[in-house]
Amino acid sequence: MISATQFLVGQNASEIVRKADEMMRGEKSSYSEMTMRIVRPKWERSLSFKSWSKGTELSLVYITSPAREKGQAFLKINREMWSWNPTINRTVKLPPSMLSQGWMGSDFTNDDLLNQRSIVVDYNHTISGEEQIDGWDCWRITLTPKPDAPVVWGKMILWVTKKHYLILKSEYYDEEQLLVKTEMAHSIKDVDGRTIPTIYELIPAEEPGNRTIVELNAIKFNIDINDSFFSLRNLTQVK
């Protein structure tokens, strides 16, 4: 039987995760411009993209550079995802098996970039401790998948600041509870009326020298976006 104390802690943990998610996504919507740097032991490359989201069910990402990849776009509506490649003039629906694949050759997966609602609705949340990250007091929150949830990870651990509800560190585990990758947030600044990290670094656990860095160049929260913006037609026309 779950005690009243355990129930309240569980509720608090879920509320913390929801607030942390909304802090970066916006309570209603957001538009952002980002640069991604993919680092490997013998090479590195960069790409830039725009991202729109509304609520937890609608998102669209458009690649702006480099020239050879410009125009590629990705759409999520509810639990369905598509990609558009102008070079071959083709829209492809992403099957669940592709959610765990690297997005544009990076250490981020398709699920990471397009399916962020997952951390709020597809997991049970428990406060498992308190720690400091870079001088910030944080809750350590463990996320375990709900039964039959269509998720990639067997477990996640988030470190969320008690001030501003910022996710400063995330650990991703596979179904065997082995650490797959760690994400760290840095360079906290005041942007569009809120205090948020502007650089994210993702480091795989089993691939020395590999990492992906995402820098937030611009962001606007709670802008007006019509639901029709997130459509297969607009996927091929967005700029």
Side-chain angles (χ1 to χ4, degrees), residues 62-88:
Y62 173 79
I63 307 295
T64 57
S65 69
R68 67 179 180 274
E69 291 164 330
K70 182 178 180 180
Q72 292 188 48
F74 302 82
L75 171 69
K76 169 188 174 267
I77 301 176
N78 299 321
R79 293 189 181 276
E80 298 183 304
M81 303 183 196
W82 295 265
S83 67
W84 159 253
N85 189 325
T87 303
I88 60 175

Side-chain angles (χ1 to χ4, degrees), residues 21 29 49 58 63 77 90 92-93 95 101 142 161 184 197:
D21 180 69
S29 63
F49 57 95
L58 303 171
I63 307 295
I77 301 176
R90 185 181 179 191
V92 177
K93 187 173 183 180
Q101 293 187 7
T142 299
T161 63
M184 302 296 299

Side-chain angles (χ1 to χ4, degrees), residues 135-148:
W136 292 79
D137 291 328
C138 297
W139 292 289
R140 186 179 68 243
I141 300 179
T142 299
L143 282 65
T144 53
K146 294 179 180 178
D148 301 320

